């Protein structure tokens, strides 16, 4: 597939649509959008950046670019790092949707909030906290405050409620999408002119779900209705430590199966290993031996249950049940019973873990200079296997074995996220990361594990090569909305 | 010259490559979205919700494009280092309108020294032959000719002292303590210079004004004219070399001589004197019980707020942090000490304000964004000279924040902040009085030195 390198005439066309203050090919400005981090290490500088404000502007931009065969990469917050940038050259137009930043409606009976793409999770959190303190949106728990609800929808990420209520994609009720063929489609109940966004699977088959995980490769989403949930005052965090990922997996699964019970109170169930603590500090300014962390009371592996309840009584019940189940597991079924112990948290530690959104995942660059999240989905009862395989690979390639694992939908699935901390100033380190990425992806695919935010060069091609029929239909359907394949080409290896 | 901008930029390569483009640096309180605030306030520059995190990068707020927020600039620096981008007028025009306020650096969990990076980038840009913007060229010419960027005559530098009857302190040979006045207080905000000198006199400090004093070089370090800046640095180091301690009343000069000079001096060279801001001295004497304030009818009941100048506040805090990180063997433990030291640093001016509340009867209220999260006044980084409209709008945004807490008097401790806030206060009708803290003490004759030892 070949694309046009946009020229001055194309810039003029963009200026004609959005005005001269909001379209540019200024080289310093286009370079400033670059990111080779977080999720993707390969990215290109866009040729033109456009900052539309209205849906009609987006429609005109897409129609123009489609006719001219100019690639278009949309971003809401741009916090998915390399994934927010174009993948190919000529890179074409980047659509920065940050100016579309209205919080349009909050409905606490039907429990949704309607937002535009540029609404950041920090802004939405503060707005809800101030105006609707009893309700909270499902913001991605670890994503920094400048990320957006929309971006997380498209990435169908992992939010603060995911462990309890299910995948983030399920939290989005209805959406409004502009396709490059010029159509504006409203999904779910919103497809009817006067309907509220109260039902996701509106008029038969659901188009919105088709866009979940699309990474901008199908159309531009301009509005989304996202569920809100209660934000009760009674909260705490329970932590149990252990020596190995198998005990972590099995104990967590037992608690996760307590559905219609305590499992629904555990909004965030996430854990990992001690290098998760270590690599948030500079490599040469922190002890590497486990003994140091042991003295601090940090187990080799642990699991956090963040519990929310409507009353103190309910919260106490949840905490007691988790503790009792953990004691029972330790006594009767654990692989290494002696290592299983509760981790007492200082109230300040609890408060810091309850803080949303936070910057907890930002300092992994502090270790050296750069990091990459590589994220897989596995059935929950295979996450220990994944963790062992991946930490061994990281050690083989000379990276600290940092592993974060969280439950989705009460341990039906696991999100497993190794964090690769490396020195991005060194080409040799980047090559090592990619070699390891390829080796582990091949292994993972053989186990039937999914890469949930696939990168365009390793994950997507390897995955689709094993799912030819699915890929064929994805392409066929993309052609309907995006006949000239201009949307974020390469991002999902779709063109 | 000790170092080129490009050399500094390359030294900072690893710091630049730490940036993950997470954009947390655009907000004050970026880690505290649930922070209780003071609600929504509509001021002269629009409506701001002072709750949780709040946009606080003046350049990003003004220009909007990613390149103007800090993260964009860090990725521009990376593109320059990787060869994806070359220096040009376009690069200059996005890296110059930044106030180098450092609020971005204070937010970054990867502890990236953003101001160092931006300043090195500017210096490398100038070295690459990209002309400075005209207004910066003008001040560069002026300082080369007259040793100050305001066009004042060298012989008028201490006219304020002579006029105020403080002439005896000029080249006071016996004194081991100097007062570095700086260009803004010498040629523009002479109230600050007079107030400071009078307070020294009341406190019995035997000080000297050094006739050879020249501009500290702050604007030139900030805009990348590091040759000019280093020439001025050499002159000042020579002029002040025989003193034990040098006091300051200007945040910018204090920061430049204390923090910048050692960075640009030759390997192994050290500042020949100790440095201290006048408010540190006053604060210390209050804590020691040596001074207090007299009641004042005119000030009683007045709502007073305080603007932390970036140069005395955040820049010192960040420098402390970088130093402690550099020297730490176990940062997980030492970070607590770093945070404690930073808290203590920001308390210093507040000791004075609380004492004023106790003794004089003012009502001291804090704005929403304070200390490390303080919003800049808009004057620094060469912005007041180069981009006056943007500079004043930023100052007005800060005045809005003071209006939001119903301040009658907006105080600060830097003549440059004073100037900009005061101009915005007049231009946009914010209706407050803008005053230096020491100026207030001197103007209302508040100092009670009965217990001074
Ligand atoms: C330190 C850190 C921690 C993180 N932790 C989490 C976490 O805990 N949970 C989690 O889920 N994620 C996490 N993330 C990932 C990411 O930040 C979030 O998923 C975020 O919500 C993405 O939002 P965004 O607006 O920044 O997306 P963007 O980067 O703007 O976009 C994401 C993708 O969607 C496409 N896209 C964006 N907007 C549109 C649109 N309107 N229409 C069509 N396509 C569009 C883009 O092209 C891109 O491929 C983390 C990221 C960082 C840097
Ligand atoms: S400078 Fe720090 S806070 Fe800002 S984007 Fe980079 S890593 Fe994030
Ligand atoms: S130094 Fe201040 S103005 Fe410059 S990028 Fe950082 S926050 Fe913005």
């Amino acid at each position: 597939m070949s694309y046009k390198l946009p020229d001055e005439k194309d810039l003029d066309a963009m200026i004609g649509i959005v005005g001269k203050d909001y379209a540019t090919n200024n080289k310093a400005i286009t370079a400033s959008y670059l990111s080779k981090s977080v999720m993707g290490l390969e990215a290109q500088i866009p040729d033109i950046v456009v900052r539309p404000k209205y849906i009609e502007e987006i429609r005109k931009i897409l129609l123009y670019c489609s006719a001219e065969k100019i690639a278009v990469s949309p971003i809401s917050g741009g916090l998915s790092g390399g994934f927010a940038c174009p993948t190919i050259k000529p890179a074409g137009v980047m659509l920065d949707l940050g100016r579309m930043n209205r919080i349009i409606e909050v409905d606490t009976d039907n429990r949704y909030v309607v937002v535009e793409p540029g609404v950041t999770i920090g802004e939405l959190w503060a707005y809800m906290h101030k105006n609707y303190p009893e309700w909270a949106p499902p913001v991605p728990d670890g994503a920094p405050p400048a990320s957006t609800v929309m971006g997380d929808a498209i990435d169908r990420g992992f939010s603060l409620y995911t462990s309890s209520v299910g995948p983030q994609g399920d939290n989005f009720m209805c959406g409004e999408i502009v396709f490059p063929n010029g159509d504006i489609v409203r999904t779910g109940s919103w497809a009817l002119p006067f309907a509220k966004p109260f039902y996701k699977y509106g008029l038969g088959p659901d188009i919105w779900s088709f866009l979940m995980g699309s990474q901008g490769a199908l159309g531009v989403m301009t509005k989304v209705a996202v569920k809100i949930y209660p934000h009760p005052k009674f909260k705490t965090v329970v932590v149990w430590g252990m020596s190995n990922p198998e005990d972590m997996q099995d104990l967590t699964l037992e608690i996760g199966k307590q559905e219609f019970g305590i499992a629904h109170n555990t909004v965030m169930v996430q854990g990992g290993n001690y290098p998760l603590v270590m690599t948030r500090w500079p490599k040469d300014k922190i002890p590497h031996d486990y003994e140091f962390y042991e003295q601090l009371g940090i187990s080799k592996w642990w699991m956090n249950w963040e519990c929310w309840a409507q009353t103190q009584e309910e919260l106490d019940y949840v905490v007691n049940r988790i503790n009792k189940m953990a004691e029972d597991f330790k006594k009767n079924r654990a692989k290494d019973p002696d290592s299983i112990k509760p981790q007492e948290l200082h109230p300040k530690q609890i408060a810091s873990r309850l803080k949303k959104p936070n910057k907890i995942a930002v300092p992994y660059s502090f270790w050296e200079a750069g990091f990459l999240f590589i994220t897989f989905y596995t059935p929950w009862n295979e996450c220990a296997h994944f963790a062992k395989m991946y930490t061994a690979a990281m050690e083989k390639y000379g990276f600290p074995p940092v592993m974060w694992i969280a439950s989705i939908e009460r341990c039906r699935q696991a999100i497993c996220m190794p964090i690769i901390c490396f020195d991005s100033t060194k080409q040799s380190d980047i090559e090592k990361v990619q070699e390891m990425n390829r080796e582990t992806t091949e292994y993972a695919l053989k186990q039937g594990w999914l890469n949930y935010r696939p990168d365009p060069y390793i994950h997507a091609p390897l995955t689709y090569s094993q799912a030819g029929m699915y890929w064929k239909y994805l392409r066929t359907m993309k052609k309907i909305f995006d006949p000239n394949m201009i949307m974020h080409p390469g991002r999902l290896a779709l063109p | 010259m000790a170092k080129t901008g490009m050399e500094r930029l390359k030294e900072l390569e690893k710091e630049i490559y730490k940036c993950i483009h997470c954009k947390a640096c655009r907000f004050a309180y970026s880690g505290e979205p649930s922070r209780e605030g003071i609600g929504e306030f509509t001021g002269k520059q629009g409506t701001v919700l002072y709750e949780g995190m709040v946009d606080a990068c003046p350049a990003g707020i003004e220009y909007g494009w990613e390149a103007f927020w800090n993260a964009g600039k860090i990725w521009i620096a990376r593109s320059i280092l990787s060869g994806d981008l070359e220096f040009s007028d376009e690069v200059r025009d996005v890296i110059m309108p930044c106030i180098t306020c450092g609020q971005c650096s204070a937010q970054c969990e990867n502890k990236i020294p953003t101001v160092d990076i931006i300043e090195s980038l500017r210096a490398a840009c100038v070295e690459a032959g990209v002309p400075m913007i005209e207004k910066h060229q003008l001040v560069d010419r002026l300082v080369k000719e007259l040793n100050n960027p305001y066009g004042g005559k060298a012989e008028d530098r201490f006219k304020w002292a002579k006029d105020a009857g403080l002439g005896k302190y000029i080249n006071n040979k016996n004194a081991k303590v100097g007062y570095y006045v700086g260009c803004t207080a010498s040629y523009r905000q002479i109230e600050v210079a007079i107030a400071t000198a009078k307070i020294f006199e009341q406190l019995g400090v035997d000080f000297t004004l050094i006739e050879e004093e020249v501009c500290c070089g702050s604007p030139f370090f900030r805009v990348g004219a590091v040759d000019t800046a280093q020439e001025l640095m050499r002159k000042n180091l020579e002029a002040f070399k025989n003193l034990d301690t040098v006091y300051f009343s200007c945040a910018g000069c204090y920061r430049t001589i204390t923090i910048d000079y050692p960075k640009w001096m030759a390997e192994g060279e050290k500042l020949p004197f100790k440095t201290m801001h006048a408010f540190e001295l006053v604060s210390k004497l209050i804590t020691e019980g040596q001074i207090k304030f007299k009641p004042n009818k005119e000030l009683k009941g007045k709502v007073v707020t305080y603007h932390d100048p970036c140069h005395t506040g955040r820049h010192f805090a960040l420098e402390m942090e970088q130093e402690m990180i550099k020297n730490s063997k176990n940062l997980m433990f030492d970070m607590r000490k770093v945070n404690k030291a930073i808290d203590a640093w920001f308390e210093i001016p507040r000791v004075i304000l609380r004492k004023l509340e106790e003794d004089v009867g003012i009502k001291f209220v804090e704005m929403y964004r304070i200390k490390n999260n303080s919003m800049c006044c808009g004057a620094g980084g060469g912005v007041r000279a180069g981009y006056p409209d943007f500079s004043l709008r930023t100052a007005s945004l800060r005045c809005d924040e003071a209006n939001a807490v119903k301040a009658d008097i907006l105080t600060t401790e830097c003549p440059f902040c004073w100037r900009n806030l005061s101009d915005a206060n007049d231009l946009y009708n914010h209706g407050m009085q803008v005053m230096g803290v020491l100026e207030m003490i001197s103007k209302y004759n508040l100092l009670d030195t009965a217990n001074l030892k």
Side-chain angles (χ1 to χ4, degrees):
Chain A
M1 198 72 63
S2 65
Y3 293 88
K4 179 179 169 190
L5 174 68
D7 53 25
E8 290 297 323
K9 185 179 112 314
D10 300 315
L11 176 65
D12 287 345
M14 295 298 123
I15 290 174
I17 297 168
V18 294
K20 69 172 176 25
D21 291 341
Y22 299 111
T24 187
N25 61 2
N26 176 305
K27 286 209 157 35
I29 293 182
T30 54
S32 73
Y33 282 86
L34 195 60
S35 182
K36 297 183 177 182
S37 56
V38 189
M39 286 192 248
L41 298 181
E42 289 110 347
Q44 303 295 339
I45 297 174
D47 299 308
I48 292 178
V49 182
V50 187
R51 297 167 61 217
K53 175 95 180 145
Y54 305 105
I55 296 160
E56 194 47 33
E57 291 175 350
I58 295 175
R59 203 177 79 87
K60 285 182 185 157
I61 294 165
L62 294 189
L63 277 172
Y64 179 88
C65 291
S66 190
E68 295 293 323
K69 280 215 93 189
I70 296 171
V72 175
S73 306
I75 56 162
S76 290
L79 258 73
S80 57
F83 275 23
C85 299
T87 62
I88 55 154
K89 267 185 165 168
V93 168
M94 174 176 271
L95 269 190
D96 172 355
L97 302 165
R99 288 177 67 225
M100 302 178 78
N101 58 359
R102 289 178 307 154
I103 299 168
I104 297 172
E105 187 196 352
V106 179
D107 183 330
T108 53
D109 286 335
N110 296 302
R111 283 159 284 164
Y112 62 76
V113 51
V114 178
V115 292
E116 288 189 321
V119 176
T120 67
I121 61 168
E123 280 158 356
L124 185 59
W125 189 266
Y127 179 84
M128 295 297 288
H129 182 70
K130 181 75 187 160
N131 300 298
Y132 303 92
E134 281 157 18
W135 300 95
V139 299
D141 187 73
S147 66
T148 72
V149 189
M150 179 69 87
D152 205 49
I154 295 154
D155 256 2
R156 51 162 178 32
F158 177 86
S159 83
L160 82 97
Y161 291 106
T162 303
S163 300
S164 173
V165 305
Q168 180 74 332
D170 290 358
N171 284 321
F172 300 95
M173 304 291 288
C174 300
E176 181 184 74
I177 310 149
V178 185
F179 287 118
N181 62 8
D183 289 338
I184 298 174
V185 177
R186 286 162 70 94
T187 69
S189 50
W190 253 356
L192 282 182
F194 302 109
K196 288 183 176 167
F198 71 103
Y199 186 51
K200 178 174 184 166
Y201 303 103
L203 312 185
D206 174 36
I207 295 177
W208 176 255
S209 294
F210 179 60
L211 276 97
M212 295 282 88
S214 63
Q215 297 186 356
L218 295 176
V220 177
M221 311 206 184
T222 47
K223 226 171 264 151
V224 66
V226 56
K227 288 180 191 173
I228 52 174
Y229 292 95
H231 191 189
K233 289 197 183 67
F234 304 95
K235 304 195 241 182
T236 193
V237 180
V238 182
V239 187
W240 279 78
M242 55 283 291
S243 63
N244 60 79
E246 288 87 355
D247 280 341
M248 181 197 76
Q249 168 190 289
D250 295 343
L251 168 61
T252 311
L253 180 59
E254 287 188 12
I255 295 170
K257 282 181 177 171
Q258 302 300 305
E259 294 177 318
F260 305 131
I262 58 168
H264 277 87
N265 291 90
T266 51
V267 284
M268 265 292 281
V269 180
Q270 47 123 359
N273 58 4
Y274 81 89
L276 256 181
V277 179
M278 177 178 86
T279 47
R280 300 177 78 250
W281 302 96
K283 191 177 177 177
D284 57 345
K285 302 210 174 287
I286 191 82
H288 293 199
D289 298 337
Y290 173 63
E291 286 67 46
F292 170 73
Y293 300 90
E294 195 175 19
Q295 278 163 22
L296 296 180
I298 298 172
S299 295
K300 276 195 173 154
W301 288 84
W302 71 85
M303 184 52 71
N304 282 283
W305 286 267
E306 184 175 330
C307 310
W308 290 17
Q310 295 289 358
T311 63
Q312 186 61 47
E313 204 185 349
E314 273 173 36
L315 187 65
D316 292 344
Y317 174 78
V318 174
V319 172
N320 287 337
R321 275 292 308 275
I322 293 175
N323 288 339
K324 276 205 183 110
M325 288 185 71
E327 293 291 357
D328 183 62
F329 177 80
K330 172 183 167 92
K331 215 154 98 196
N332 299 312
R333 291 174 298 287
K335 194 173 154 195
D336 181 6
D338 290 345
S339 75
I340 303 214
K341 45 183 178 252
Q343 287 186 3
E344 295 303 328
L345 295 181
H346 186 276
K348 272 194 184 156
Q349 286 175 302
I350 296 183
S352 114
R353 286 177 200 212
L354 292 175
K355 213 177 338 172
K356 321 276 176 214
N358 54 53
K359 298 192 282 188
I360 199 155
V362 174
Y364 287 101
S365 262
F366 213 11
W367 179 257
E368 285 199 278
F371 68 81
L372 191 64
F373 294 149
I374 298 181
T375 328
F376 280 86
Y377 272 12
T378 71
W380 179 266
N381 62 2
E382 293 173 26
C383 67
H385 176 184
F386 178 92
K388 281 190 125 165
M389 176 281 286
Y390 222 106
T391 48
M394 288 159 103
E395 280 177 322
K396 181 176 119 187
Y397 282 92
F399 302 119
V402 191
M403 182 64 60
W404 178 83
I405 292 179
S407 137
I408 299 177
E409 207 176 4
R410 309 171 299 278
C411 297
R412 283 157 196 266
Q413 303 111 50
I415 174 171
C416 304
M417 192 173 81
I419 304 176
I420 324 297
C421 301
F422 64 105
D423 183 350
S424 61
T425 63
K426 290 189 191 145
Q427 187 52 31
S428 56
D429 261 28
I430 294 174
E431 283 161 16
K432 267 199 300 178
V433 173
Q434 297 304 45
E435 240 175 272
M436 180 182 71
N437 203 357
R438 179 172 295 281
E439 183 184 312
T440 47
T441 305
E442 280 167 359
Y443 181 90
L445 285 169
K446 280 191 198 136
Q447 313 307 312
W449 300 333
L450 309 180
N451 191 285
Y452 116 94
R453 279 166 171 156
D455 84 349
Y457 302 107
I458 295 175
H459 308 138
L462 283 176
T463 307
Y464 287 134
S465 71
Q466 298 194 15
M469 186 57 80
Y470 196 81
W471 191 68
K472 177 182 149 188
Y473 274 87
L474 274 183
R475 270 179 65 92
T476 308
M477 283 148 85
K478 177 175 160 77
K479 274 241 159 206
I480 300 172
F481 308 126
D482 180 11
N484 290 326
M485 301 280 200
I486 59 158
M487 291 304 303
H488 221 165
R491 176 54 47 229
L492 268 183
L494 273 180
Chain B
M1 188 164 92
K3 265 175 214 159
T4 66
M6 200 59 195
E7 280 163 357
R8 275 292 288 151
L9 201 62
K10 284 189 179 146
E11 269 176 18
L12 292 163
E13 183 189 35
K14 225 166 163 169
E15 303 300 327
I16 293 168
Y17 275 65
K18 278 183 186 162
C19 179
I20 56 160
H21 217 144
C22 76
K23 305 187 189 181
C25 43
R26 50 182 281 184
F27 309 105
Y29 305 112
S30 59
E32 298 176 71
S34 301
R35 187 186 172 82
E36 295 294 337
I38 54 171
E40 204 171 78
F41 179 77
T42 301
K44 308 289 178 189
Q45 302 298 321
T47 302
V48 176
L49 176 64
Y50 296 107
E51 293 290 333
M53 45 174 254
V54 182
D55 267 338
C57 162
I61 294 171
E62 174 78 11
Y63 296 93
W65 290 100
E66 182 57 20
F68 293 87
W69 301 97
N70 169 66
K73 283 194 273 282
I74 303 298
W75 282 83
I76 287 175
R78 182 159 164 170
S79 293
I80 293 280
L81 286 176
S82 67
D84 286 333
L85 184 67
E86 284 173 7
F87 284 114
S88 64
D89 292 6
E90 288 182 335
V91 172
R92 176 199 61 203
D93 291 341
V94 299
I95 62 177
M96 285 303 173
C98 155
I99 312 173
T100 60
C101 66
Q103 106 77 37
C104 43
S105 199
Q107 306 299 327
C108 178
E109 291 287 311
N110 287 313
K111 310 288 175 204
I112 298 175
T114 60
V115 173
D116 267 6
I117 293 169
I118 294 164
E119 286 178 5
S120 308
L121 191 60
R122 289 171 169 190
C125 187
V126 173
E127 281 156 26
V130 178
M132 287 194 286
I133 61 166
E134 259 176 45
K135 285 173 179 158
H136 290 163
Q137 285 179 27
L138 174 71
V139 282
D140 191 54
R141 263 201 314 276
L142 282 174
V143 88
K144 278 183 176 141
E145 245 171 65
L146 301 164
N147 285 325
N148 73 82
Y150 291 115
K153 291 186 201 143
E155 60 270 29
D156 286 349
R157 195 167 182 95
F158 295 140
K159 185 172 177 300
W160 61 269
K162 290 173 198 150
D163 293 350
L166 296 158
K168 64 176 174 183
Y169 293 105
I170 303 171
N171 285 346
N172 173 9
K173 293 273 180 276
N174 298 326
K176 293 310 274 175
V177 172
Y179 168 29
Y180 180 94
V181 185
C183 305
T184 308
S186 296
Y187 294 105
R188 293 288 185 272
Q189 269 57 69
I190 60 166
E191 310 77 333
V192 173
I194 297 168
T196 311
K198 282 193 173 163
I199 286 176
F200 285 151
E201 190 166 58
Q202 275 181 285
L203 295 176
V205 178
D206 185 26
F207 69 97
T208 176
L209 301 166
I210 301 278
E211 250 179 338
E212 292 75 27
E213 173 185 312
V214 296
C215 168
C216 67
S218 175
F220 308 97
F221 281 119
R222 312 288 153 250
V223 302
V226 288
D227 281 347
T228 309
Q230 291 187 76
E231 221 178 289
L232 296 164
M233 171 177 94
R234 286 283 145 223
K235 288 183 187 167
N236 280 322
L237 286 174
E238 180 58 28
F240 286 77
K241 69 176 183 209
N242 294 325
L243 297 173
D244 292 341
T245 304
V246 177
Y247 282 111
F248 295 83
S249 59
C250 173
C253 306
Y254 181 35
R255 184 252 197 241
T256 301
I257 294 184
T258 316
I259 299 179
D260 290 309
Y261 280 17
K263 280 189 189 152
W264 292 91
M265 278 154 64
E267 202 80 20
E269 206 186 346
K270 282 203 170 112
L271 268 190
F273 43 77
K274 277 195 281 195
T275 58
M276 201 177 195
H277 196 286
F279 75 65
E280 289 178 80
L281 175 68
V282 173
S283 182
K284 181 171 160 275
L285 293 174
I286 292 172
T287 310
E288 290 170 357
Q290 294 203 52
I291 54 172
K292 56 186 180 174
F293 298 118
K294 298 176 221 159
N296 183 286
K297 274 193 199 144
E298 218 178 309
L299 289 173
K300 194 171 173 174
K302 286 265 191 305
V303 178
V304 177
T305 193
Y306 176 70
H307 164 76
D308 292 280
C310 304
H311 285 126
T312 40
R314 193 159 40 215
H315 286 194
F316 274 83
L318 290 168
E319 190 60 22
M320 250 182 246
E321 186 177 72
Q322 289 287 347
E323 233 1 75
M324 289 173 94
I325 292 175
K326 203 166 85 193
N327 299 326
S328 170
K329 296 215 161 52
N330 183 334
L331 197 55
M332 193 192 274
F333 284 169
D334 291 342
M335 209 60 205
R336 264 173 252 151
K337 286 186 220 151
V338 174
N339 292 335
K340 252 185 149 170
I342 291 176
D343 284 349
W345 178 252
F346 281 110
E347 272 310 298
I348 296 173
R350 287 167 172 81
V351 166
I352 308 177
L353 284 145
R354 274 197 283 274
K355 189 71 181 154
L356 286 167
E357 181 163 52
E358 194 182 314
D359 295 351
V360 180
I362 62 158
K363 189 166 176 266
F364 172 49
V365 289
E366 292 276 22
M367 287 184 272
Y368 182 62
R369 286 171 289 186
I370 55 168
K371 303 184 179 177
N372 244 351
N373 287 285
S374 173
M375 165 84 180
C376 175
C377 77
V383 167
R384 187 175 151 91
Y387 307 88
D389 295 344
F390 157 41
S391 179
L392 282 170
R393 270 194 293 274
T394 302
S396 175
L397 264 173
R398 189 60 169 156
C399 289
D400 276 349
E401 197 162 348
N403 283 150
V405 294
K406 301 191 171 57
D408 300 308
I409 304 176
L410 167 58
T411 62
T412 185
E413 216 35 86
C414 169
F416 211 40
C417 299
W418 187 102
R419 174 79 273 155
N420 223 37
L421 292 168
S422 181
D423 287 352
N425 183 47
D426 294 345
L427 183 69
Y428 291 100
N429 299 318
H430 285 279
M432 296 176 293
Q433 255 182 296
V434 178
M435 220 182 265
V437 179
L438 299 187
E439 184 195 349
M440 180 192 279
I441 295 170
S442 171
K443 182 174 168 187
Y444 293 96
N445 191 20
L446 301 177
L447 210 53
D448 177 344
T449 54
N451 295 332
L452 194 65
K453 283 175 215 146

